[in-house]
Amino acid sequence: MSTTISDLLTLSHELGREDRGLAILGEGNTSVRLSDETFAVKASGTCLGTLKEEDVVECRFSALLPFLEKDNLTDQQVDDALLAARVDSKAKKPSVEAVFHASLLSLPGIKFIGHAHATTVNQILCSTRARDFADHRMFPDEIVCCGTASVFIPYTDPGLRLAKTIRHQTDEFIKKHQRQPRVILMENHGIITLGGTWQSVLSAMLMAEKAAKIFVGAAALGGPVFFSPRNVERIAGRPDEAYRQRALKM
Ligand SMILES: [Zn+2]
């Protein structure tokens, strides 16, 4: 097994740990860019916590990225495209979310992606405070691991339409903030974290779940009290925070 695939399995097992409440049963998925031409993604219906090499499918970017430009495809057409994207036609079927993985893995500097239906994050994403959580930051380590803000995706039908919305909102985020997002939050659905290493994807996921717990607790006490935009930028620019990011392989 290549080290890249074993890194993907490590990330998957970490995200699928039962005690973390990030993903149970077939929930969530992970991916890694293997080359300019292909990436590996979790197969549909497999379990993150016990993911094995044969549960990972290698797919061609060129077979999926053109779909981001198309409208009105049927579920059957998307299904056929997912199967046709496999490098090995005997491999399992890629997750329906493989299209957003292909799209996000083609952003500069992104190599690994994790997606989960994290329990506490979803408490907020299924509430009226979802956008508040995406737009604001409450404590320094949240900024170090999750960035200065998260991309927010209003509820969208899963599949191709969701992949298109994620790409559009992510491009808008990069234009506005002049940096790559580390966290994407999908209303009534779940969280995506992305980065150049599997460790950065895991750190962003764990810290987002911790931030969600703090948000929910602080909301019960009349809060949360958010950082001002000035304080967020100040922490994001501090050399000691940059050192911590390097130490965490962010
Ligand atoms: Zn999902």
Side-chain angles (χ1 to χ4, degrees), residues 59-132:
C59 296
R60 288 183 208 87
F61 284 109
S62 62
L64 292 176
L65 292 180
F67 285 92
L68 291 168
E69 313 298 329
K70 293 196 177 144
D71 280 316
N72 303 324
L73 287 179
T74 64
D75 290 345
Q76 187 59 50
Q77 283 171 311
V78 175
D79 247 31
D80 293 345
L82 287 169
L83 290 171
R86 293 171 303 169
V87 170
D88 173 1
S89 62
K90 289 188 288 298
K92 290 183 180 171
K93 186 183 156 197
S95 160
V96 67
E97 284 160 335
V99 191
F100 80 61
H101 284 271
S103 163
L104 293 172
L105 287 170
S106 55
L107 291 171
I110 302 302
K111 187 167 180 194
F112 286 89
I113 291 177
H115 164 52
H117 302 162
T119 308
T120 322
V121 170
N122 273 13
Q123 284 185 348
I124 301 170
L125 296 181
C126 297
S127 81
T128 55
R129 307 284 313 263
R131 194 183 287 269
D132 249 3

Side-chain angles (χ1 to χ4, degrees), residues 231-246:
N231 282 337
V232 170
E233 283 306 323
R234 167 89 182 107
I235 287 167
R238 281 171 68 118
D240 54 329
E241 300 298 350
Y243 176 82
R244 278 158 73 189
Q245 282 179 335
R246 281 196 301 277

Side-chain angles (χ1 to χ4, degrees), residues 125-197:
L125 296 181
C126 297
S127 81
T128 55
R129 307 284 313 263
R131 194 183 287 269
D132 249 3
F133 181 59
D135 289 347
H136 296 99
R137 291 294 180 254
M138 300 166 290
F139 56 95
D141 280 295
E142 187 186 15
I143 298 169
V144 172
C145 297
C146 301
T148 54
S150 305
V151 178
F152 181 70
I153 314 288
Y155 182 74
T156 309
D157 192 38
L160 188 60
R161 191 189 297 258
L162 178 60
K164 288 166 78 160
T165 309
I166 290 172
R167 186 55 195 254
H168 177 258
Q169 297 294 105
T170 301
D171 288 344
E172 292 295 307
F173 179 99
I174 294 168
K175 251 187 254 163
K176 181 178 169 196
H177 295 272
Q178 296 296 311
R179 46 169 80 98
Q180 300 281 16
R182 294 182 186 279
V183 176
I184 298 170
L185 297 171
M186 298 178 284
E187 189 177 32
N188 293 98
H189 179 168
I191 172 171
I192 301 169
T193 59
L194 51 166
T197 63

Side-chain angles (χ1 to χ4, degrees), residues 203-239:
S203 305
M205 187 70 76
L206 295 177
M207 195 59 78
E209 178 67 356
K210 174 163 181 163
K213 288 184 180 132
I214 290 169
F215 187 105
V216 170
L221 298 172
V225 176
F226 296 125
F227 271 142
S228 67
R230 204 175 137 262
N231 282 337
V232 170
E233 283 306 323
R234 167 89 182 107
I235 287 167
R238 281 171 68 118

